[in-house]
Amino acid sequence: AQPRTPGKPPRPSAFHGLAEERVIREIIYAMQGINGHYVKLREDTGRYEIDPSVAVGRAVRVLTSRICDLGLYFKIVEKAAEAHFEKSPLTRQALGAALRRHLQEYYRLIALLDAAQADGLTLRRLLVWTADALDAFRMLAAVADATQELTGGVLLSALWQLSRRGDAGPEAALQGLVQAVLQPLLAMIDAWMTDGRLQDPYHEFFVLCDPTVPLKDLWTKMYTLDPQMVPCFMPMPVAMKVLRTGKSVNFIRQCCEETDWILPPKDGEDTSRPVAVSSVANLENAVDLAWRRTSKQLVSLLMDKYKTLDHALAIRRYLLLAQGDFVQCLIDLATKELSQDAGEVYRHNMISLVDHAVRQSNAQYHDTEMLERLDVKILTPSQGEVGWDVFQLDYAVTPPIDVVFTPDAMRQYHRAFSFLWRLRRVSHSLSQCWGDQVAFNHQLRRQSISVRQMGTIQMTLHSCYLLRNEMLHWIQNLQSYVLYEVLEHSWQGFTSSSFVDLDAIVASHEVYLTRLQEGAFLTPKRSLLLAAIHRLLDLVMTFVATQENIHASITAEHMAPAGSGVFDTDRATLLERYSIDQLSSAFTQQIGELLLALDAVTPGHGPELRYLSCRLDYNEFYSVTASRRRRRTRMSRPPPATE
């Protein structure tokens, strides 16, 4: 024993006779989750503490408990690492492997501490040496508790958020966990974007596959995105690019019959791994590069090999009646056939007429593949319908272009065809009506008819001329609006779109169809306009039939040969019976209602409808007439009753 220094009192020992070396040894045991003789895990507090019966200082007890907390964290981390071993999701296996690496570092620390006991390791020095490990394992234990049931992107999101706490030491450890758990996800992204394979046996990837979906719905329904599995550090547009890239690879191989196609590496890249996704830092750039190259290949196949734009042009020419000479030939050839009852119109006859119309027009010089797809559809007839009402041109769509021209898109085309076909039919009927008027007028001049009777006939025929011209003005302006303001403008917008990937093609085509439907009054918001137009079309067809009856009546009364038995005593009243005055009044009224409906929907819908309204009523004739009719209606109402 060393002599005391004179003048200084003896320093009391905090261990009160208990050897410090013994306490340190048991602390090292506790750091491994092992109870010692003095340092044990207390059930009431859940911490390792020195036995209360042992007389030691308070500072020793506090320091011992603080250091021994490592044992608690160690047991939690060790349990989590053992649980994430085999037959577990890949991300949890990666987390377990990362935790085991931290445990290995911890075991090295234990060995160093054990060896340092021979060099006089003190309790305070032990506290300093274990401070970093204490902070790290406190965070690792929190991670183990917070991620017990999490997998995939959800696990990565939790780790990423825990790593953003601002503490440099634990944050570095957690960043290592994030990088470790990220590797299985990066491998899945790599395989998906390169080969279109889903290496996801435990359903951890954010891309889902439904194997029950047929191949024809590969692009729209087979593969979907699970937003919950997208890591929080990955922007949703990047996740969508990952989804589209893999879908594009599968679409190229399975739908475009390019089974040997692989994603080509960029110049200077490793050919064994064209998608170099190795960390969060280069994730977005690598995904964008792979998406651009894959999408470029797919768009090139659809546009060059499968001629998607050419098919869209063919549909525009035939189903939207943009090929004027073909449509005119078809109407001329099919008028007799389509004027029959709907039940007497047969598909094979109409196919023959369509082939004749092709050969008699410039359509014969179009691509043979497009012409072979042109077909005829006869709808199920209803009571009272004629061939005009059930006839439709059709266009055969086959994979892979059916991803753009879907069944719903073709239904919209057929609906547009029915509307445009009726416009062309009514316009053709008015043209025929003019020819009948001219021919009948020449025939009438060769007959011996009294001046009085001729004056009455000429007044009736002149009314027919005026009404036909009024109707022709309306139908021509309506057709001009639909063909140029709607069809041509929509087509220019579609063909000038930027087709960066297949979704862009589909979206542009949907916008094109939407513009067609809105411009042709085929949307629910414009149903009132469409109903008004159909009422006017019905009036035109009624006028055509009425003029035919007038011609037949005049022929029977004034041009029938003597003794033919055709003459009837009531024939003198037929001209009044078939008067067109009521038709003219009804047509003027319906035009006024159409203009009112146009004015009601014009605000917020661009200048096209205002331009159409101006062209239909360029001299405000219908507006003035409607105003006078409303004024007469108000004046004809009885005055309100007074008490």
Side-chain angles (χ1 to χ4, degrees):
Q2 296 180 355
R4 280 186 298 175
T5 304
K8 287 187 179 182
R11 182 179 181 183
S13 173
F15 293 92
H16 298 288
L18 183 63
E20 185 177 5
E21 294 81 2
R22 181 68 180 271
V23 175
I24 291 174
R25 185 183 303 112
E26 294 204 3
I27 290 176
I28 294 176
Y29 289 156
M31 289 172 61
Q32 303 172 65
I34 303 172
N35 284 330
H37 183 72
Y38 299 108
V39 181
K40 300 177 182 179
L41 179 64
R42 293 187 59 177
E43 294 183 359
D44 55 345
T45 61
R47 300 181 69 187
Y48 284 96
E49 296 179 0
I50 298 177
D51 193 327
S53 62
V54 178
V56 294
R58 182 175 179 276
V60 173
R61 290 184 183 278
V62 173
L63 292 179
T64 300
S65 296
R66 184 182 301 175
I67 298 172
C68 289
D69 284 344
L70 261 172
L72 300 175
Y73 302 145
F74 165 77
K75 291 173 66 175
I76 296 174
V77 174
E78 185 182 40
K79 182 180 178 181
E82 291 175 353
H84 305 160
F85 193 56
E86 295 181 354
K87 297 182 180 179
S88 297
L90 299 180
T91 51
R92 297 201 68 83
Q93 292 183 32
L95 177 60
L99 292 177
R100 285 191 291 274
R101 286 193 292 272
H102 283 282
L103 289 174
Q104 290 173 0
E105 294 294 329
Y106 186 72
Y107 294 145
R108 292 191 185 97
L109 175 64
I110 295 293
L112 290 174
L113 294 176
D114 190 52
Q117 290 185 75
D119 298 331
L121 181 63
T122 64
L123 186 60
R124 293 183 180 277
R125 187 177 298 174
L126 178 61
L127 177 64
V128 173
W129 285 13
T130 58
D132 291 341
L134 184 62
D135 291 338
F137 268 75
R138 183 185 295 113
M139 183 61 72
L140 292 176
V143 167
D145 287 336
T147 61
Q148 288 182 7
E149 304 297 332
L150 305 181
T151 61
V154 181
L155 174 59
L156 268 171
S157 297
L159 291 175
W160 185 267
Q161 291 170 355
L162 287 172
S163 68
R164 300 297 174 178
R165 296 295 181 88
D167 194 342
E171 183 176 349
L174 286 176
Q175 284 293 339
L177 292 183
V178 171
Q179 288 298 327
V181 178
L182 182 62
Q183 296 312 307
L185 182 65
L186 295 181
M188 296 176 195
I189 293 176
D190 199 344
W192 170 247
M193 294 196 302
T194 304
D195 300 324
R197 292 181 292 108
L198 281 177
Q199 294 181 343
D200 187 21
Y202 300 102
H203 307 290
E204 303 171 274
F205 197 28
F206 52 81
V207 175
L208 303 178
C209 175
D210 186 356
T212 62
V213 173
L215 186 61
K216 64 183 182 67
D217 295 326
L218 181 148
W219 187 263
T220 55
K221 298 180 180 179
M222 184 175 290
Y223 301 105
T224 55
L225 191 71
D226 184 0
Q228 293 182 347
M229 281 295 179
V230 179
C232 62
F233 55 80
M234 179 183 292
M236 194 57 65
V238 176
M240 289 300 302
K241 286 183 179 180
V242 173
L243 172 66
R244 292 170 183 168
T245 303
K247 284 202 307 182
S248 298
V249 172
N250 284 302
F251 194 88
I252 290 172
R253 292 181 176 179
Q254 300 182 45
C255 299
C256 297
E257 301 177 354
E258 297 284 333
T259 55
D260 298 331
W261 183 85
I262 61 173
L263 180 62
K266 192 178 179 182
D267 295 340
E269 283 185 344
D270 181 8
T271 57
S272 63
R273 190 177 182 185
V275 182
V277 182
S278 57
S279 65
V280 176
N282 77 328
L283 176 62
E284 187 168 351
N285 291 334
V287 168
D288 184 72
L289 179 62
W291 168 72
R292 289 183 182 277
R293 285 149 61 189
T294 307
S295 299
K296 181 179 179 181
Q297 174 67 18
L298 178 54
V299 171
S300 177
L301 283 172
L302 289 174
M303 294 301 175
D304 299 335
K305 180 178 179 180
Y306 293 101
K307 304 177 181 178
T308 300
L309 274 183
D310 292 342
H311 288 294
L313 178 59
I315 292 175
R316 175 176 176 267
R317 284 170 170 170
Y318 305 128
L319 268 63
L320 300 182
L321 309 183
Q323 189 67 31
D325 56 341
F326 162 77
V327 176
Q328 189 60 47
C329 288
L330 179 60
I331 291 178
D332 291 338
L333 293 171
T335 297
K336 182 178 179 181
E337 183 75 18
L338 296 179
S339 298
Q340 303 179 101
D341 291 338
E344 298 178 1
V345 177
Y346 299 101
R347 179 172 175 271
H348 61 275
N349 291 336
M350 294 308 303
I351 290 177
S352 176
L353 293 176
V354 170
D355 291 339
H356 281 296
V358 169
R359 290 193 295 269
Q360 293 180 13
S361 64
N362 286 331
Q364 62 182 311
Y365 303 112
H366 294 165
D367 194 328
T368 305
E369 179 186 356
M370 313 302 170
L371 293 176
E372 290 175 351
R373 293 174 180 266
L374 186 59
D375 201 357
V376 169
K377 179 188 292 187
I378 302 297
L379 305 179
T380 302
S382 300
Q383 185 68 28
E385 289 186 333
V386 295
W388 293 99
D389 302 318
V390 298
F391 168 76
Q392 278 188 351
L393 286 178
D394 196 12
Y395 193 84
V397 177
T398 57
I401 63 171
D402 58 347
V403 71
V404 178
F405 307 106
T406 60
D408 181 65
M410 296 309 296
R411 283 191 292 271
Q412 295 184 57
Y413 278 121
H414 289 144
R415 192 179 179 198
F417 170 84
S418 297
F419 175 70
L420 297 174
W421 181 248
R422 192 175 188 205
L423 291 183
R424 294 302 293 263
R425 174 202 176 186
V426 170
S427 178
H428 179 76
S429 298
L430 286 176
S431 298
Q432 277 191 325
C433 185
W434 176 81
D436 294 342
Q437 287 175 346
V438 173
F440 185 78
N441 195 27
H442 285 297
Q443 184 181 5
L444 188 64
R445 289 176 181 176
R446 293 194 295 267
Q447 302 298 321
S448 299
I449 303 176
S450 65
V451 175
R452 184 184 61 80
Q453 290 177 331
M454 180 62 74
T456 303
I457 293 173
Q458 288 295 345
M459 289 178 61
T460 303
L461 295 181
H462 183 67
S463 298
C464 290
Y465 299 155
L466 295 179
L467 183 55
R468 189 200 72 86
N469 288 335
E470 186 177 354
M471 291 179 170
L472 188 63
H473 165 77
W474 170 74
I475 194 68
Q476 284 181 340
N477 280 281
L478 182 61
Q479 278 188 301
S480 175
Y481 161 77
V482 172
L483 292 177
Y484 297 104
E485 302 296 333
V486 177
L487 297 185
E488 189 64 29
H489 180 71
S490 301
W491 175 255
Q492 291 296 330
F494 175 54
T495 55
S496 61
S497 301
S498 178
F499 301 135
V500 294
D501 61 4
L502 179 51
D503 275 339
I505 298 176
V506 174
S508 298
H509 185 251
E510 290 177 351
V511 171
Y512 169 60
L513 283 177
T514 300
R515 290 176 177 175
L516 286 180
Q517 298 291 311
E518 291 180 352
F521 317 107
L522 300 177
T523 59
K525 293 182 179 180
R526 299 190 177 183
S527 57
L528 295 178
L529 281 173
L530 183 63
I533 291 172
H534 279 301
R535 288 194 295 269
L536 286 165
L537 294 174
D538 291 337
L539 283 175
V540 174
M541 297 309 298
T542 301
F543 163 74
V544 172
T546 300
Q547 179 178 279
E548 292 178 356
N549 292 334
I550 290 176
H551 288 177
S553 175
I554 295 175
T555 300
E557 184 172 357
H558 298 285
M559 302 181 186
S564 61
V566 179
F567 183 81
D568 194 322
T569 55
D570 295 331
R571 199 168 291 141
T573 63
L574 287 178
L575 291 178
E576 296 178 357
R577 185 181 304 171
Y578 295 112
S579 173
I580 62 170
D581 292 341
Q582 293 182 351
L583 280 176
S584 179
S585 177
F587 185 80
T588 302
Q589 181 179 354
Q590 291 297 329
I591 287 287
E593 293 180 2
L594 175 62
L595 292 173
L596 289 176
L598 284 173
D599 292 338
V601 301
T602 293
H605 289 80
E608 294 84 5
L609 292 180
R610 289 196 297 270
Y611 183 51
L612 173 62
S613 178
C614 180
R615 291 175 63 176
L616 293 178
D617 194 22
Y618 65 94
N619 59 355
E620 298 184 352
F621 168 76
Y622 297 107
S623 301
V624 173
T625 303
S627 177
R628 290 174 178 174
R629 183 180 292 110
R630 288 193 296 270
R631 190 182 307 112
R632 287 196 300 268
T633 301
R634 288 195 299 268
M635 294 177 64
S636 62
R637 292 175 182 172
T642 57
E643 296 182 359

